[in-house]
Amino acid sequence: MSHSNSKNHSQNKAQSNVRVKVIETLLAIQAGQSLTGLLDPLLNGLQGEDKGFAHALLLTTLRHWFATARLLDSLADNPIEELAVRTSIQVGITQLLYLQVADHAAIHETVEAVKKIDLSRATGLVNAILRKVSKNPNKFRKKCDKNHSLPNWLAKQLKQDWAEYYDELTQALRQPAPIFLRVNYTQANNEQYLQLLAEAELTAQLLNLTTSMALANSNINMTVSPILLQSQTPIWQLPNFAEGMVSVQDAHAQLAAPILHNVLQASLGSNSNKLSLNLLDACAAPGGKLAHWLELIESKFAPKFHVKQTDEKPAITITAIDNEPKRNSRIFENLERLQLPTTISTRELGLEILCVDATTWQANDDSKKNTETNTKNNAGFDAILLDAPCTATGVIRRHPDIALLRTEADVTQTVALQAQILDNLWGQLNEGGYLLYVTCSILKAENVAQMQAFISRHTDAQVIEFDDAECNWGIKQDIGRQCLPLVENSGDGFYFALLQKNRNELS
């Protein structure tokens, strides 16, 4: 064999091996594993262009999974039941329709990959269907793109929940998500970091999300300014990323901590004699919103809370809880990179991170506080950020495996779990305290309907309205606001509802 033939043979072998790894990863996802746990092992075993191609092939196949599945069914003379065969053909279709891979390479290397996973008997079928697609790719691309690429149960629910936005929403969920950055205000501000990006020849745009809320004694007007990263670059190569100057966080996710922070600032303005502030971040892992909250509390660019520090306890105590040990470890990793909290040694701020079940956990049991203070009217927390477990349907652009992993039954189970957590934590919120309920779901059952059910169970819960005229994000709901990922550079699908516990609850 000549040197050039040997080189081509090794390249072809590597290319088909990439496809084998992608097919195996897709089969693992269909068996119930998440992309989050599978992506790094896949990419770490590849080099150079193979790594980029594998990433693009896997994510693009997932984004168009249900559309290419329908196309496959229409092209097959007989139903194809075997999962590995279906998956291999869909990987081939994705290359032909969405990745501009040359026809001969897409077909030949996919057939070779099929052989490598012991499906030689199916090579004729795979070859025939892919050749049929390659003869008229424009026709089949239009057919794939015409409708949604979601499981039918989810598409049906979205049509029921969001009929007005249905076509726009279901098409948007097939697109890659933009990358947004959050500057660590303990180290720099947006203007300083935008300068660093410019010096690194990275293009970015500062966005402004405005919010207005009316409290009993004050109106709150706030602006959150995420940075949209328009250049493509590995995240670890961002300026001062390793030093913790910046984090990757969706634009809408960046609303959560500032909403509670500003509400607390306003309420403390009329209660400056408060001795301490007790805060809870529930379901906190991997810690993005917790880190943001800490950054705001310790920011060099914002006023401090007016709380009196005592010898007995820190002025501000934050408890963060989550029930998954592996995810909890991510909180520590993220805070370490961000060099947070910066003031923990001065006893201005106390931070406790616990691995507990939010449906049953009682803070008083853990902290062994004086039971005399633990009355129904002083349950412990002044504010709770509940980043509730959800179906994560609002982040399908970022995690397209969600469309394959979720089932209709998951929604019912998740709604019940959310209600348990809400009821347990509400009993631990001080009168006059605030609870911000957040999900990354776009299903009303988990969001506005969940809040309506909660309000009906808890007569001491008062909704703090977002001023629709002053909010330039989200869609007003009967309770709270719903963000939908409708346009190219929009944030993910998040829901926000802010509640206050009435002071005059009758025992």
Side-chain angles (χ1 to χ4, degrees), residues 65-350:
W65 182 262
F66 293 94
T68 59
R70 289 194 299 268
L71 177 62
L72 168 57
D73 290 336
S74 72
L75 294 173
D77 294 331
N78 299 299
I80 301 173
E81 304 291 348
E82 194 169 357
L83 213 55
V85 176
R86 291 185 65 88
T87 299
S88 301
I89 296 173
Q90 287 182 249
V91 166
I93 291 173
T94 300
Q95 294 168 70
L96 292 168
L97 299 187
Y98 293 102
L99 291 182
Q100 288 76 53
V101 176
D103 292 0
H104 64 88
I107 297 169
H108 175 73
E109 297 306 334
T110 302
V111 169
E112 289 300 305
V114 167
K115 294 177 183 176
K116 286 184 168 63
I117 56 174
D118 297 327
L119 286 174
S120 294
R121 57 188 162 71
T123 55
L125 175 63
V126 173
N127 183 64
I129 290 178
L130 294 184
R131 287 195 178 280
K132 193 181 293 187
V133 173
S134 70
K135 287 177 181 176
N136 201 339
N138 290 336
K139 169 189 170 183
F140 293 120
R141 170 73 183 259
K142 286 179 181 177
K143 189 172 182 178
C144 271
D145 287 349
K146 185 178 180 181
N147 297 309
H148 65 82
S149 186
L150 295 168
N152 287 330
W153 73 265
L154 180 55
K156 182 180 177 182
Q157 190 59 57
L158 290 178
K159 191 153 197 173
Q160 182 177 319
D161 286 355
W162 304 109
E164 182 181 350
Y165 304 100
Y166 175 76
D167 290 335
E168 194 179 356
L169 176 59
T170 54
Q171 288 300 326
L173 290 174
R174 300 175 70 163
Q175 307 307 315
I179 299 297
F180 296 98
L181 306 178
R182 185 193 79 236
V183 177
N184 181 352
Y185 280 5
T186 69
Q187 297 190 29
N189 60 26
N190 284 335
E191 290 69 26
Q192 291 166 341
Y193 197 76
L194 285 168
Q195 182 61 37
L196 291 177
L197 289 172
E199 291 170 3
E201 298 183 343
L202 296 172
T203 306
Q205 179 185 353
L206 191 66
L207 307 180
N208 290 308
L209 302 178
T210 58
T211 304
S212 180
M213 299 164 283
L215 303 185
N217 299 315
S218 61
N219 289 328
I220 296 172
N221 296 292
M222 55 172 262
T223 301
V224 174
S225 299
I227 294 175
L228 171 64
L229 183 64
Q230 295 163 311
S231 298
Q232 292 191 343
T233 186
I235 298 304
W236 58 270
Q237 289 185 2
L238 288 168
N240 295 340
F241 179 80
E243 293 77 15
M245 188 176 284
V246 71
S247 295
V248 175
Q249 187 180 41
D250 180 70
H252 293 148
Q254 292 186 41
L255 289 162
I259 287 172
L260 264 188
H261 187 77
N262 279 272
V263 165
L264 286 169
Q265 287 276 18
S267 63
L268 284 174
S270 58
N271 187 19
S272 59
N273 292 321
K274 191 166 180 61
L275 292 178
S276 63
L277 203 55
N278 202 14
L279 313 176
L280 175 66
D281 185 351
C283 311
K289 297 178 184 68
L290 172 64
H292 195 188
W293 208 354
L294 288 167
E295 290 167 8
L296 292 170
I297 289 170
E298 304 187 289
S299 170
K300 296 188 294 186
F301 306 98
K304 301 292 185 184
F305 281 124
H306 297 293
V307 182
K308 293 183 179 179
Q309 183 178 343
T310 68
D311 293 335
E312 288 76 27
K313 62 185 298 186
I316 301 170
T317 301
I318 299 185
T319 305
I321 63 172
D322 203 280
N323 70 336
E324 294 185 30
K326 283 187 178 179
R327 282 169 55 81
N328 255 23
S329 67
R330 292 275 310 280
I331 298 178
F332 291 98
E333 292 167 9
N334 285 328
L335 294 185
E336 183 178 8
R337 182 182 67 82
L338 294 165
Q339 302 178 50
L340 292 169
T342 61
T343 58
I344 197 163
S345 61
T346 67
R347 295 197 56 78
E348 293 175 18
L349 175 66

